[in-house]
Amino acid sequence: MNEYFLLPNNKIVSVLIKILSNLYALPILIERENASHRDGTQWELESVGSHTLLRISKSDLSDIRLNLSLLWNATSSQSVLNSAKKMFLFLLVKINQQCQHKGTRLRDDISFHLQELVDCGLYASIKSARKGFLAAAKVLSAIQVMGYDKVDGEDGKKTVGISSPQCPFTDFGISHNLCPVTVNPSMDIAFFCQSYAIVPKEIFGLSNRGFTLLWYLCFLARQNIKKLVADGYFTLNIRTIQALLSLPEEEGNKDVKRTIKQPVEDAVQEIMEATNGTMEIEIVKQGTSIKEYLKQGYLKIKPSNSFIEYYQQLFEK
């Protein structure tokens, strides 16, 4: 459907989105991730020589390592990381459109015009798109991952992975405002592109928090498709959003309305206005204290019928 992008959305994609959002707040991110998982998933830091790695493991189902030192060396700017996060998802959309099918590689490169970055809302002009693309490319060139993940395939569980540290993108360029990007020829593309989410095309024009929340809602919609078909909605705890949007802790916080509640409400409002009915979201507040708001409050997400029907079509294929 023309109003949606089809986004590769394996576990490594979720990990990288969270890291790019929290590269300079990792202790809090790791603590929150370990506290939120009930399935045995463990986040931990490892030292290998002069490098710091993040390891995410879950019994024998997945084991992923990401080199943090290379990313730290790439930039000290959170705004550049936020831009790189959006560019990363844009490149995944292009990978799905141009160089792979159901996890099978068709070619080793993607390309797009800088004008596309303007048209989708990532940047306001060709000039800012050029500058932003080059800054994001420096960060994305510093991604180095390895590991494996067991994912759902047509014949049950299958293992996808990378046995040695590799960057998913090996070359970025600009020539006459055309941007060619080489997808690492030696990388198993199914590591990134075995499962999919659909996202409204308006996602790239949203603010950083609106973008991140909408991506996560679409990610969860895929996991909750049966409930969506049966009930027409699913829910998300506000405590999870606090971690997702890198909002501060409530302990010792003298202005929780401005630093926690308002950012959540602003992101929700922005998504509903931008998607024009694709995502109806109700904030269900519980109790009067901030702890009750975070622990018991939740979002009630009601995607449009076309959104749910499109997901059903994907699962039937």
Side-chain angles (χ1 to χ4, degrees), residues 96-218:
N96 182 66
Q97 292 175 345
Q98 298 180 12
C99 74
Q100 74 87 35
H101 179 65
K102 294 185 177 180
T104 299
R105 184 188 296 264
L106 304 177
R107 51 189 286 190
D108 293 334
D109 62 286
I110 57 176
S111 64
F112 51 90
H113 198 281
L114 286 174
Q115 186 63 45
E116 289 187 61
L117 300 178
V118 178
D119 292 343
C120 76
L122 259 173
Y123 300 104
S125 66
I126 292 290
K127 182 179 180 180
S128 61
R130 175 183 290 271
K131 181 179 179 181
F133 173 76
L134 293 173
K138 183 179 179 181
V139 174
L140 298 180
S141 296
I143 293 175
Q144 190 180 86
V145 297
M146 65 177 293
Y148 68 89
D149 188 23
K150 290 186 178 180
V151 299
D152 293 326
E154 293 183 358
D155 301 314
K157 289 285 186 181
K158 63 177 290 187
T159 299
V160 295
I162 305 172
S163 59
S164 61
Q166 295 186 42
C167 178
F169 309 105
T170 55
D171 189 53
F172 292 81
I174 299 180
S175 177
H176 299 95
N177 290 337
L178 185 69
C179 303
V181 179
T182 302
V183 182
N184 191 333
S186 60
M187 181 190 72
D188 180 4
I189 202 167
F191 191 47
F192 285 83
C193 305
Q194 187 64 33
S195 62
Y196 302 89
I198 61 172
V199 295
K201 288 188 174 180
E202 297 86 357
I203 188 170
F204 292 108
L206 299 179
S207 68
N208 177 55
R209 285 173 175 155
F211 170 89
T212 305
L213 181 56
L214 180 54
W215 159 77
Y216 194 64
L217 295 182
C218 294

Side-chain angles (χ1 to χ4, degrees), residues 58 90-91 96 108 132 186 275 281 293:
K58 179 183 176 183
F90 182 85
L91 295 182
N96 182 66
D108 293 334
S186 60
T275 59
I281 307 170
Y293 174 84

Side-chain angles (χ1 to χ4, degrees), residues 268 272 275-282 300-304:
V268 167
M272 289 199 296
T275 59
N276 194 29
T278 298
M279 286 283 178
E280 291 294 330
I281 307 170
E282 177 186 357
K300 185 175 182 180
I301 303 101
K302 300 178 182 179
S304 66

